[in-house]
Amino acid sequence: MSTALPPVISSWFASRGWAPRQHQLDVLASYADGASQLLIAPTGAGKTLAGFLPTLTDLVDGKFDGLHTLYLSPLKALAVDVERNLSTPIAEMGLPIRVEARTGDTPASKRARQRTRPPHVLLTTPEQLALLISHPRAELMFSSLRRVVLDELHSLVASKRGDLLALGLARLARMAPDLRITALSATIAQPEILRDWIAEPLPQRRTDLLHMVGGARPELAILQTEERLPWAGHSAIYAHHELYEIIKQHKTTLLFVNTRSQAEMLFQGLWNINDELLPIALHHGSLSVEQRRKVEAAMASGDLKAVVCTSTLDLGIDWGDVDLVVQVGAPKGSSRMLQRIGRANHRLDDPSKALLVPSNRFEVLECEAAVEAVAEGHQDSEDPLPGGYDVLAQHVLGMACAEPFHADDLYAEVIRSWPYRDLPRAKFDRILDFVATGGYALRAYERYARLRQTEDGLWRIANPQVAQQYRLNIGTIVEEPMVRVRLVRGRGQKQGRTTGPIGAGGRVLGEMEEYFFGTLTLGDTFVFGGEIVAFEGMKDNEAFVSRAFAKDPKIPSYMGGRFPLSTYLAERVRRIMDSPDDWHKLPDQVADWLRLQRDFSVLPRRDSLLVETFARGSNHFLVCYPFEGRLAHQTLGMLLTRRLERMRARPLGFVASEYALAIWGLGDLSALIRTDRLSLDELFDEDMLGDDLESWLDESALMKRTFRNCAIIAGLIERRHPGKEKTGRQITMSSDLIYDVLYQHEPDHILIEATRRDAARGLLDIERLGQMLARVRTHIVHKPLERVSPLAVPILLDIGKEPIFGEARESAMAEAADELLRESMGEVF
């Protein structure tokens, strides 16, 4: 094909006063030359149009029949947004191109029609792709496919969703020999790795790495508040009034938070002071589809003054007149911050404007580190990892649902995906055996016999119900068990719960994690979807609530949603603390806090680990400051507690934050260290990641929780059955029972192996912890103190708010925050 734009497309650009940018033409030229592409361009540079320009050019004459382009997005909202933004120019140019979105929210009748009469361009998600290729005769739908557009690729490749996507691409490459891939991203730390990721399923094609350089630098600032900055916590309540004034000064403001709980809290706080009745909305993944679509439509039409949101809106979506992005709470990574900044002034030549609002004093340091990283354009996005065995098991079953297969053929296809390129054949055969029989310990049970091998060596599903169950349970996102929240009308309601019977019907507000309702009693009030509701009762998988009035409603807590602090920002935070000459950049109260620490104790150095010990009440504390993120610190706390027990230091518990770790117990730790009965070098030795880790994992409930997730993804435990869903209790009981059987009778079972891999690299952050221990080896600074230090105040305030270890659950270690502050600062000031 020619690289010149067809006249109708050139005329459309001219009618807008535009001209195609060079990187857009580069994608077109690369495609015309038979190559695939990875395009890296800043937010607002027209990456989406660059991705679709070859498609528009191919289809301009209206002669193509069938599915031409498959667009894959990490977010349903992004697919819907792209459908809207792509359909407009197609209609304005009068092109005979049909564009449709396909998500879990698409009606079943439309999804069925799309398999037999697909549009020219289908916009969907990795999960829907897995579903489509699991249907018999999928090749009839995809044999005409010419292009795959992967949007926001960086957000997929480092997760199990990326594993599922890579396997899907390998199958597409088999069904569509002419396939080429265009991947788009603004935030990639190592482009060469992602280019290889794209190229792996298409070895016969060249993959071009295209960079777009330029664009206005983002304008990023930290809120300069007159209020007292909190020592700990994540609510940022101190900033609500200032944020409200900032919202009034801008057209549309997006306020990002890191968790759904924070979203509910911030929205409620702003609404309580919204005297001018500004149109402020809430958007997060637990709200109903109808509510989210309503908010998205209002944003697109410019009807909202502000939206409080989570990561559901931080990727690629172009929302009208957003002229300010606010990040409430530390961003946890420079790439994530750059992505969110790009939602403001979504145009290449206009600077995006963002404001960081730290929730506590440590987060001020992290925000300052993020400002510096963004100014330098530094990327810290995660790299892809070897693929999960549970995801591959799911894919193997899906391919059997599509058609019978020979193991040799499927293995050859699987290793053409980047995450599984080094998968040994023996490992593949073990996974296949698991899918077919459940493995050695489970093969006697007929329910786990999902595949059968025919006389000619083909593997096929055991019965049609296997395919039905597979399609009901597809996907790699395992949330806590959810229940629908239905708003009902009660009688005689005044405050709290209703006084009459629950009314019938009622609209669905969304979904919440099942465990939260186990913490409620009838009549308890809580905030959900921006409303205060009272808990009325539960039936099956539905929780009934009614509108209520309460001065202090509960804020729902969610098990997931926390982002890890990136290694790069953690290193920058240590550098800031170790550079007093740069403290003038910090708010006075934070700089004064660091000076107090320097005068009263010592400051953590960039290349060492500060360990403070002091007595408080009848207990003794050890506080250290690795700045390696909550996951690594929690693992370190578990392992150190075991070691201290062996040393007879009588530890009682620990608490971990993103920045610090505190352990307390009955033994005088300062005296033990002073008399050489406790060596810090030995206590923090890397060998804790060997036998200590293994023995702790063997005893830990964490393994059972991790196994549950792997078993769900692998299809061993099914969440959904036709017409009903299992409760969280049912899933947990089934999972725990199977885990105990496998651990006792087949400890090397492939799912036990998958569980250990997941625990090590995800839930425990073992690699990062190992790097930290190696970095501080022989560089541990011990500072014995008479009382709590200024730097230790935030972590001690967290005691009692987080799950703690062993006997500490029963001990009275958590004291009032104001008492701790008086104790820490009274004598210092």
Side-chain angles (χ1 to χ4, degrees):
M1 71 178 250
S2 170
T3 58
L5 289 178
V8 64
I9 299 179
S10 297
S11 298
W12 178 79
F13 272 102
S15 69
R16 295 294 191 97
W18 299 344
R21 296 185 181 272
Q22 186 58 51
H23 63 281
Q24 296 169 334
L25 295 176
D26 289 345
V27 171
L28 185 62
S30 174
Y31 174 73
D33 199 31
S36 293
Q37 309 84 35
L38 170 59
L39 172 63
I40 302 173
T43 298
K47 290 190 298 298
T48 304
L49 182 56
F52 282 108
L53 203 54
T55 299
L56 300 180
T57 303
D58 264 2
L59 299 178
V60 72
D61 59 9
K63 296 179 180 179
F64 190 92
D65 185 30
L67 179 63
H68 180 281
T69 297
L70 184 68
Y71 166 92
L72 292 163
S73 154
L75 295 178
K76 292 187 288 186
L78 182 53
V80 172
D81 178 63
V82 170
E83 179 187 22
R84 181 181 66 245
N85 291 335
L86 186 59
S87 297
T88 298
I90 287 174
E92 291 174 348
M93 287 184 272
L95 299 179
I97 301 174
R98 290 182 293 114
V99 179
E100 293 180 3
R102 177 191 177 96
T103 71
D105 302 330
T106 304
S109 58
K110 185 175 182 180
R111 280 183 280 158
R113 192 265 300 156
Q114 287 172 340
R115 292 204 314 273
T116 56
R117 289 182 291 115
H120 297 110
V121 179
L122 184 64
L123 315 169
T124 190
T125 62
E127 290 75 16
Q128 287 296 317
L129 172 60
L131 189 61
L132 286 168
I133 62 176
S134 75
H135 281 280
R137 297 179 296 280
E139 196 161 349
L140 293 177
M141 177 181 183
F142 290 108
S143 60
S144 64
L145 188 66
R146 297 293 182 270
R147 306 188 64 236
V148 171
V149 178
L150 304 176
D151 206 354
E152 307 294 352
L153 180 61
H154 66 277
S155 70
L156 287 169
V157 295
S159 69
K160 291 188 177 184
R161 296 184 77 200
D163 297 345
L164 192 66
L165 173 59
L167 291 166
L169 292 176
R171 173 51 59 105
L172 289 180
R174 197 202 79 182
M175 293 189 291
D178 294 332
L179 178 67
R180 277 162 279 178
I181 297 173
T182 300
L184 312 170
S185 182
T187 50
I188 295 179
Q190 298 195 65
E192 296 293 343
I193 294 179
L194 263 65
R195 179 172 65 175
D196 292 345
W197 196 95
I198 297 163
E200 197 72 37
L202 305 171
Q204 76 281 12
R205 294 201 178 276
R206 186 181 80 248
T207 300
D208 293 333
L209 180 56
L210 306 175
H211 285 271
M212 186 273 168
V213 180
R217 286 185 172 275
E219 298 176 0
L220 188 57
I222 301 174
L223 178 68
Q224 301 300 313
T225 183
E226 299 297 323
E227 302 292 331
R228 186 173 183 82
L229 281 165
W231 292 86
H234 301 280
S235 66
I237 293 175
Y238 78 93
H240 285 181
H241 284 277
E242 290 169 298
L243 287 175
Y244 185 70
E245 293 301 317
I246 289 169
I247 289 170
K248 290 197 295 186
Q249 297 165 14
H250 291 83
K251 293 179 182 177
T252 305
T253 301
L254 279 183
L255 298 104
F256 282 105
V257 293
N258 293 333
T259 69
R260 288 168 285 178
S261 298
Q262 292 167 347
E264 292 280 359
M265 193 181 308
L266 176 59
F267 177 81
Q268 196 65 33
L270 292 174
W271 196 253
N272 288 340
I273 59 176
N274 189 11
D275 296 334
E276 300 183 34
L277 299 180
L278 302 178
I280 302 174
L282 176 66
H283 193 289
H284 63 70
S286 289
L287 300 179
S288 68
V289 173
E290 294 76 16
Q291 178 64 19
R292 283 183 276 128
R293 294 293 177 263
K294 182 178 178 181
V295 172
E296 292 160 15
M299 283 189 68
S301 60
D303 294 335
L304 294 177
K305 193 70 175 171
V307 178
V308 177
C309 56
T310 59
S311 56
T312 51
L313 293 183
D314 70 358
L315 290 176
I317 302 175
D318 186 5
W319 296 122
D321 292 326
V322 175
D323 57 346
L324 177 66
V325 164
V326 176
Q327 169 67 43
V328 180
K332 305 304 172 190
S334 56
S335 291
R336 180 176 294 108
M337 192 65 242
L338 280 166
Q339 195 72 48
R340 290 181 168 182
I341 292 172
R343 308 283 66 79
N345 291 335
H346 199 73
R347 294 174 293 277
L348 180 62
D349 299 321
D350 293 335
S352 298
K353 185 179 177 183
L355 180 69
L356 296 178
V357 181
S359 297
N360 58 57
R361 297 188 178 205
F362 268 125
E363 283 194 352
V364 172
L365 304 176
E366 187 180 335
C367 287
E368 181 60 39
V371 169
E372 295 176 3
V374 168
E376 296 172 8
H378 181 85
Q379 303 289 354
D380 57 5
S381 58
E382 296 179 72
D383 295 330
L385 296 169
Y389 300 152
D390 50 352
V391 181
L392 181 53
Q394 183 183 121
H395 179 73
V396 168
L397 182 58
M399 295 306 91
C401 294
E403 60 184 11
F405 63 81
H406 282 288
D408 291 346
D409 296 338
L410 185 57
Y411 175 69
E413 179 183 305
V414 164
I415 60 175
R416 286 177 61 183
S417 65
W418 191 95
Y420 299 96
R421 68 198 187 285
D422 297 323
L423 181 76
R425 176 59 190 262
K427 193 78 69 176
F428 174 83
D429 289 339
R430 287 181 61 201
I431 292 170
L432 175 58
D433 179 65
F434 158 72
V435 175
T437 68
Y440 169 77
L442 300 176
R443 69 176 67 247
Y445 300 92
E446 184 65 24
R447 61 174 298 187
Y448 300 118
R450 294 178 290 174
L451 301 184
R452 301 194 188 281
Q453 193 171 23
T454 62
E455 292 182 359
D456 56 358
L458 286 172
W459 290 93
R460 63 189 316 129
I461 55 175
N463 56 69
Q465 286 70 39
V466 170
Q468 183 184 34
Q469 287 297 105
Y470 168 80
R471 295 185 182 113
L472 281 173
N473 291 277
I474 201 168
T476 63
I477 301 174
V478 181
E479 295 183 319
E480 291 299 306
M482 308 292 280
V483 298
R484 283 183 293 275
V485 181
R486 190 177 292 277
L487 183 66
V488 296
R489 182 181 300 174
R491 301 176 185 173
Q493 178 182 345
K494 293 183 179 180
Q495 183 168 346
R497 74 180 297 245
T498 62
T499 57
I502 295 176
R507 67 183 176 91
V508 174
L509 295 179
E511 293 185 323
M512 289 184 62
E513 291 171 5
E514 179 183 357
Y515 91 95
F516 175 69
F517 291 98
T519 68
L520 301 179
T521 58
L522 295 181
D524 281 352
T525 58
F526 62 95
V527 175
F528 184 61
E531 298 191 61
I532 299 176
V533 294
F535 178 49
E536 300 287 354
M538 290 191 68
K539 182 179 180 182
D540 298 327
N541 275 6
E542 288 195 335
F544 297 95
V545 301
S546 61
R547 286 194 175 90
F549 305 94
K551 292 183 178 180
D552 190 24
K554 293 185 177 182
I555 301 295
S557 56
Y558 298 86
M559 296 298 286
R562 284 179 174 166
F563 297 115
L565 174 66
S566 80
T567 302
Y568 181 78
L569 286 193
E571 195 279 332
R572 278 185 172 268
V573 169
R574 291 195 299 270
R575 187 190 309 171
I576 291 171
M577 298 195 73
D578 197 20
S579 305
D581 291 344
D582 293 334
W583 290 354
H584 65 276
K585 302 176 183 178
L586 303 173
D588 289 344
Q589 51 188 313
V590 175
D592 289 343
W593 173 47
L594 297 182
R595 294 187 186 99
L596 285 172
Q597 173 68 17
R598 181 180 59 188
D599 295 341
F600 180 76
S601 176
V602 294
L603 284 162
R605 300 295 303 271
R606 180 181 175 184
D607 57 353
S608 63
L609 177 68
L610 171 62
V611 176
E612 296 176 329
T613 54
F614 52 86
R616 185 167 184 272
S618 60
N619 293 283
H620 296 265
F621 287 80
L622 181 153
V623 180
C624 59
Y625 306 91
F627 296 96
E628 292 293 348
R630 187 184 301 269
L631 289 178
H633 294 172
Q634 286 177 335
T635 304
L636 181 61
M638 296 167 190
L639 298 177
L640 289 179
T641 302
R642 293 178 66 89
R643 291 197 155 189
L644 288 169
E645 286 175 345
R646 288 205 305 270
M647 296 175 179
R648 302 187 182 279
R650 295 181 291 170
L652 293 176
F654 76 88
V655 64
S657 72
E658 293 281 9
Y659 316 100
L661 167 70
I663 300 175
W664 64 92
L666 300 175
D668 187 343
L669 298 173
S670 295
L672 289 173
I673 296 171
R674 185 175 62 251
T675 58
D676 293 329
R677 284 181 289 169
L678 175 60
S679 165
L680 289 179
D681 286 337
E682 292 180 8
L683 183 63
F684 286 89
D685 193 276
E686 292 170 83
D687 65 3
M688 73 168 65
L689 301 182
D691 292 342
D692 277 345
L693 177 64
E694 287 297 314
S695 60
W696 176 79
L697 281 175
D698 289 341
E699 302 169 7
S700 171
L702 175 66
M703 280 290 283
K704 286 190 174 182
R705 293 199 301 271
T706 310
F707 176 82
R708 184 197 68 181
N709 292 346
C710 288
I712 288 173
I713 292 173
L716 189 67
I717 296 174
E718 295 158 340
R719 291 169 289 184
R720 303 178 185 92
H721 294 266
K724 65 177 181 179
E725 291 193 20
K726 284 186 178 180
T727 66
R729 181 177 177 82
Q730 289 170 328
I731 291 173
T732 299
M733 289 179 63
S734 299
S735 170
D736 289 354
L737 179 61
I738 295 173
Y739 177 84
D740 290 339
V741 169
L742 294 182
Y743 191 80
Q744 181 176 357
H745 298 287
E746 194 180 357
D748 61 345
H749 189 280
I750 193 68
L751 278 194
I752 298 291
E753 186 176 340
T755 299
R756 288 184 174 275
R757 290 175 87 218
D758 277 9
R761 74 187 192 186
L763 298 175
L764 299 179
D765 220 341
I766 297 300
E767 181 179 1
R768 185 165 175 179
L769 179 56
Q771 292 170 351
M772 185 276 291
L773 293 173
R775 173 173 57 83
V776 303
R777 186 190 302 124
T778 71
H779 292 84
I780 299 175
V781 177
H782 175 227
K783 182 66 175 179
L785 300 171
E786 295 182 359
R787 60 178 182 273
V788 56
S789 72
L791 208 61
V793 168
I795 187 66
L796 262 64
L797 285 173
D798 280 340
I799 294 175
K801 296 179 181 178
E802 295 286 335
I804 51 180
F805 184 83
E807 298 174 27
R809 192 175 296 278
E810 305 298 329
S811 67
M813 291 296 97
E815 298 186 28
D818 54 350
E819 178 185 344
L820 182 59
L821 290 172
R822 286 194 300 270
E823 176 186 334
S824 173
M825 298 191 298
E827 295 182 29
V828 178
F829 286 149

